[in-house]
Amino acid sequence: MLESVLIANRGEIACRIIRTAKRLGMRTIAVYSEADKNALFVQMADEAHLIGPPPARESYLQIDKIIEVAKRTRAASIHPGYGFLSERVEFAQACAENGIVFVGPPASAIKAMGLKDAAKALVQQAHVPVVPGYHGAKQDPEFLRQKAYEVGYPVLIKAVAGGGGKGMRRVDKAADFDAALESAQREAQNAFGDPRVLVEKYILSPRHIEIQVFADKHGNVVHLFERDCSLQRRHQKVIEEAPAPGMTPDMRAIMGKAAVEAARAVGYVGAGTIEFIADGREGLRPDRFYFMEMNTRLQVEHPVTEAITGLDLVELQFRVASGEALPFSQDDLAINGHAVEARLYAEDPEKEFLPSTGKLWALEFPEGEGLRIDTGVEAGDEVTPYYDPMIAKVIAHGATRDEALSRLAEALGETIVAGPKTNIAFLKKLCEAKEFRAGQFDTGFIDRNMDSLGAVAHEIDAQAVRLGVLKLIEHEFEERGYKAAIYEGPVPSPWGDHDAFQLSGPRREGMTIKVDGERTDAGLEWSLSASDDVDVVVRFGGGVSHLLGDYLPADPRRFVLTDDGVIVLSDGRQTRVAPHDPFDVDLEHANGGGTIKAPMHGKLIALFVKPGDKVEKGQRLAIVEAMKMEHALTAPTDGEVAEIAAEPGAQVAEGARLIVLKTEA
Ligand code: ADP
């Protein structure tokens, strides 16, 4: 076995790799950026080395620095994880040139599969079915429009250098083709420095089904069955499972063989994934699946394959990289049960999945049979704006699909996360969605069901606010030595019962409360009773809660104290309740104008107004890009631009003032 490994990655995947490497007796070497100095993976590794400032291009993407650390620490191998440098030809080459084993395929295989057009041409020669379309060199709009016509609408324009759904446009009719082409090319140029595109048939009722392959250096290539990754949002995977619902043994054998052929065609070594798109209009059919691309690395969703095969894919990667032959042949492999993975993200489904950052005030996962949690953070850590905001992968395994999905839903329900907003309630609803449970879904499922999945703006949770205020008071009273505990439930008689015992009539106190950072007026009344207990009633949104009474005590895990207040959890939703500081006057809004602040850390990529411009409420003023997504900032009121505080191209911090509007009033 290899003596040691440097992990050129961070977060959950770095932790996951370290775990296996340690089990195999390898020395583990982490590299980290300034933002990660206290991260879990840094603590777990035998040694850790700082490689630069937080932005990835100055740290995790620095090939020279990472190779330098590898040489200095005499690392026998480098595992690139996924993302970052994992599919960079130059990185694999640099490892080879420096005598370090790259735990991945040869640079030539990465290169061959790196561009979608070349990859399609190559696997087509190996008789692997590809999506009908044009993937040649010609790029003039007229020619491509003609090809789109021949292919037949709807078509998909894809950046040949694409990844992460960038530079991809669905076009439904000829009239829209030119505009879509232009914007796809522009996005591709910006994202990859390569504007070239291909045009292919848009597959209807598409199912994303991928095959995990493994190859060793002795010419053995096998597949480890399929994963279904059709639950997607903006072409990004949300929930993945194995095996695919509706897959037949025949079709699995045919797809598996095609995947193995594709891997052979590039002299593949190690773990790889062949992604196919299947036309699901009439269920899965062996003559209706097509190659999309090959990912020449370990995938985020590899745990579902591990769950159904009982294999450790990272261990296999190390064994293959050190020259061992695969310890099994295709016939030795079998599927055991069903596994599902959910990607738990710091993002706000109620605000178009805006990435959310900040401190994790609480983070607790359930444990149990058939459950696996892969995470790279713990309570007290910060979700920073610098990297992918995934908090954890929650993976459930069961004898049947139903069992696995129920187990996953239950685990999500028991998970406690407080701080950044998360998609946990959304994921749980997905696991419980009827059609999905019945295996009736395609890649458009999430988009079609946003409302029922709860991905829409919600009213303030009044009960959570009342409980939050009570918690704040309980905390305050505890400090003063009063006996107090939160109770919730039906309120049979708010005041009457206590009259006889009161030293004085209930005093009324007013308190201003911030809910999710916004001011509200929550009413608060309190009284002291003879028994030295305290009774407090909070009124908000027409309901009442008590701090004392014969009611059920509220689950203490639902309240997470923060530095300025409390976060109340209910059904995966978070309500932040904090006292409003009356001296924290909002001067920006004092004149009735509006200040447009950056909603998150990111880059100001476009500005559509200048000082003196008149704007209307709702008008687009600027675009901030964060975590690979663009967010438009609009005018909160009619007005005139009084000040512009940042220039396009600038990095902006969350809450930074960008534009100030002056209004007539
Ligand atoms: P990227 O590399 O940018 O992630 P992919 O080629 O992997 O792009 O495609 C991403 C997703 O886009 C797929 O999972 C699928 O949902 C959708 N997609 C890709 N090609 C097609 C197609 N021809 N028809 C329908 N959907 C497609």
Side-chain angles (χ1 to χ4, degrees):
M1 185 43 67
L2 299 158
E3 182 270 331
S4 53
V5 60
L6 179 150
I7 301 96
N9 214 301
R10 62 177 301 284
E12 68 87 17
I13 193 62
C15 294
R16 191 257 166 275
I17 293 164
I18 292 171
R19 219 170 294 127
T20 291
K22 287 199 158 181
R23 185 168 57 74
L24 298 175
M26 299 165 75
R27 179 167 58 99
T28 54
I29 305 153
V31 290
Y32 65 96
S33 78
E34 281 158 16
D36 282 335
K37 62 177 183 290
N38 299 316
L40 207 53
F41 75 95
V42 172
Q43 298 170 35
M44 278 173 72
D46 295 313
E47 47 185 289
H49 302 267
L50 179 68
I51 47 167
R57 62 178 183 286
E58 295 172 48
S59 47
Y60 297 107
L61 292 175
Q62 288 276 335
I63 295 179
D64 292 350
K65 275 190 201 161
I66 293 171
I67 295 284
E68 188 266 316
V69 174
K71 282 161 66 176
R72 185 152 45 87
T73 57
R74 302 183 185 283
S77 66
I78 293 185
H79 196 307
Y82 55 72
F84 293 129
L85 295 171
S86 61
E87 293 184 282
R88 285 274 286 275
V89 177
E90 311 88 74
F91 190 51
Q93 263 162 358
C95 289
E97 283 159 16
N98 287 281
I100 304 161
V101 174
F102 178 72
V103 184
S108 56
I110 301 178
K111 188 162 186 194
M113 288 298 184
L115 294 173
K116 289 187 204 284
D117 55 347
K120 275 179 89 170
L122 201 138
V123 302
Q124 205 169 17
Q125 280 170 16
H127 308 292
V128 175
V130 302
V131 187
Y134 176 75
H135 50 261
K138 280 201 186 177
Q139 292 290 311
D140 60 281
E142 217 149 293
F143 177 81
L144 291 176
R145 195 182 335 110
Q146 175 61 26
K147 285 291 161 194
Y149 172 77
E150 287 167 20
V151 167
Y153 287 95
V155 299
L156 195 63
I157 301 174
K158 271 189 194 178
V160 304
K166 285 231 166 187
M168 203 147 84
R169 295 285 184 283
R170 175 182 165 160
V171 194
D172 289 319
K173 52 186 196 301
D176 300 337
F177 187 83
D178 289 5
L181 176 65
E182 201 188 281
S183 81
Q185 286 171 327
R186 192 177 47 237
E187 195 169 288
Q189 175 65 39
N190 286 338
F192 315 112
D194 180 347
R196 288 175 301 149
V197 297
L198 56 85
V199 177
E200 64 184 31
K201 181 100 188 139
Y202 185 85
I203 303 298
L204 293 167
S205 291
R207 291 268 296 274
H208 174 119
I209 297 180
E210 57 186 34
I211 305 273
Q212 175 73 53
V213 294
F214 237 102
D216 63 20
K217 292 177 182 168
H218 308 277
N220 303 305
V221 190
V222 299
H223 70 84
L224 305 180
F225 316 110
E226 79 279 3
R227 291 184 289 257
D228 191 323
C229 311
S230 301
L231 285 191
Q232 303 184 343
R233 202 183 66 82
R234 296 195 178 200
H235 306 298
Q236 305 275 5
K237 299 161 187 170
V238 176
I239 284 186
E240 305 101 337
E241 60 182 308
M247 177 65 79
T248 61
D250 271 1
M251 178 154 175
R252 177 174 296 129
I254 292 168
M255 285 186 87
K257 185 164 177 293
V260 166
E261 292 308 322
R264 278 195 198 284
V266 289
Y268 202 76
V269 175
T273 296
I274 314 284
E275 295 190 331
F276 294 102
I277 191 96
D279 174 340
R281 279 175 301 173
E282 296 171 296
L284 296 179
R285 289 179 41 167
D287 57 345
R288 292 196 187 163
F289 73 90
Y290 313 94
F291 170 90
M292 277 194 300
E293 65 170 352
M294 178 170 194
N295 290 324
T296 52
R297 54 172 166 80
L298 192 68
Q299 303 266 104
V300 176
E301 60 272 25
H302 77 275
V304 294
T305 299
E306 296 187 319
I308 61 158
T309 58
L311 298 168
D312 178 332
L313 297 201
V314 174
E315 174 179 347
L316 282 177
Q317 284 188 298
F318 284 133
R319 292 201 180 284
V320 161
S322 69
E324 290 181 32
L326 285 172
F328 44 70
S329 65
Q330 191 68 55
D331 293 339
D332 299 326
L333 297 165
I335 296 177
N336 169 24
H338 200 100
V340 204
E341 170 183 284
R343 299 189 186 191
L344 173 53
Y345 263 88
E347 62 186 13
D348 189 355
E350 295 180 30
K351 285 192 185 146
E352 293 176 13
F353 295 87
L354 198 71
S356 185
T357 55
K359 181 166 170 162
L360 285 161
W361 291 97
L363 183 63
E364 275 176 55
F365 296 101
E367 283 172 27
E369 196 199 321
L371 261 194
R372 165 174 170 182
I373 312 291
D374 278 21
T375 184
V377 287
E378 46 189 354
D381 283 357
E382 193 92 18
V383 176
T384 72
Y386 302 110
Y387 316 110
D388 185 73
M390 190 164 74
I391 296 172
K393 305 188 299 205
V394 181
I395 305 117
H397 183 216
T400 61
R401 182 171 190 261
D402 243 357
E403 188 176 297
L405 280 168
S406 297
R407 195 163 269 168
L408 181 58
E410 197 181 327
L412 291 167
E414 286 170 17
T415 299
I416 302 266
V417 203
K421 297 274 157 136
T422 76
N423 63 346
I424 202 153
F426 173 77
L427 292 173
K428 184 159 181 279
K429 286 216 161 97
L430 262 177
C431 292
E432 293 164 347
K434 233 190 188 154
E435 277 176 275
F436 175 57
R437 282 302 267 255
Q440 286 154 6
F441 62 103
D442 57 43
T443 61
F445 183 82
I446 288 180
D447 276 342
R448 286 194 299 271
N449 293 287
M450 283 294 189
D451 287 5
S452 60
L453 295 169
V456 282
H458 282 60
E459 299 272 300
I460 287 181
D461 181 344
Q463 177 65 357
V465 173
R466 288 191 291 271
L467 290 172
V469 174
L470 284 178
K471 184 70 193 177
L472 291 178
I473 299 165
E474 180 198 63
H475 186 65
E476 170 71 22
F477 284 3
E478 268 168 16
E479 309 249 291
R480 294 193 205 165
Y482 292 134
K483 224 171 28 166
I486 294 186
Y487 291 86
E488 80 177 289
V491 186
S493 171
W495 288 106
D497 299 352
H498 302 289
D499 287 346
F501 305 101
Q502 274 166 11
L503 296 175
S504 63
R507 256 175 293 170
R508 272 181 158 272
E509 290 240 326
M511 187 176 175
T512 318
I513 300 291
K514 279 191 301 188
V515 176
D516 293 334
E518 304 270 339
R519 267 172 72 163
T520 61
D521 289 309
L524 185 63
E525 300 172 33
W526 62 286
S527 73
L528 285 171
S529 70
S531 61
D532 214 22
D533 289 336
V534 184
D535 197 359
V536 175
V537 176
V538 177
R539 300 180 188 282
F540 180 80
V544 181
S545 300
H546 272 244
L547 194 65
L548 183 79
D550 302 321
Y551 319 121
L552 278 180
D555 179 358
R557 298 203 315 162
R558 288 177 52 187
F559 303 98
V560 180
L561 287 170
T562 68
D563 51 352
D564 70 340
V566 62
I567 297 171
V568 184
L569 304 174
S570 61
D571 294 332
R573 289 188 74 217
Q574 301 180 41
T575 306
R576 252 175 201 268
V577 181
H580 177 70
D581 179 354
F583 298 106
D584 181 17
V585 180
D586 190 353
L587 288 175
E588 314 284 7
H589 290 90
N591 64 356
T595 302
I596 291 86
K597 295 178 176 172
M600 75 224 100
H601 293 268
K603 188 172 166 186
L604 185 66
I605 59 169
L607 192 62
F608 306 115
V609 289
K610 56 182 186 316
D613 282 1
K614 294 248 189 285
V615 299
E616 282 174 18
K617 181 175 174 172
Q619 186 177 331
R620 239 163 40 125
L621 305 178
I623 294 178
V624 171
E625 189 191 60
M627 316 233 191
K628 304 190 220 155
M629 271 163 54
E630 295 183 359
H631 307 278
L633 305 182
T634 55
T637 63
D638 291 354
E640 186 184 313
V641 178
E643 188 193 335
I644 302 274
E647 281 176 19
Q651 289 290 330
V652 293
E654 184 176 338
R657 200 160 53 110
L658 301 180
I659 299 167
V660 180
L661 296 182
K662 194 167 67 187
T663 52
E664 307 297 304

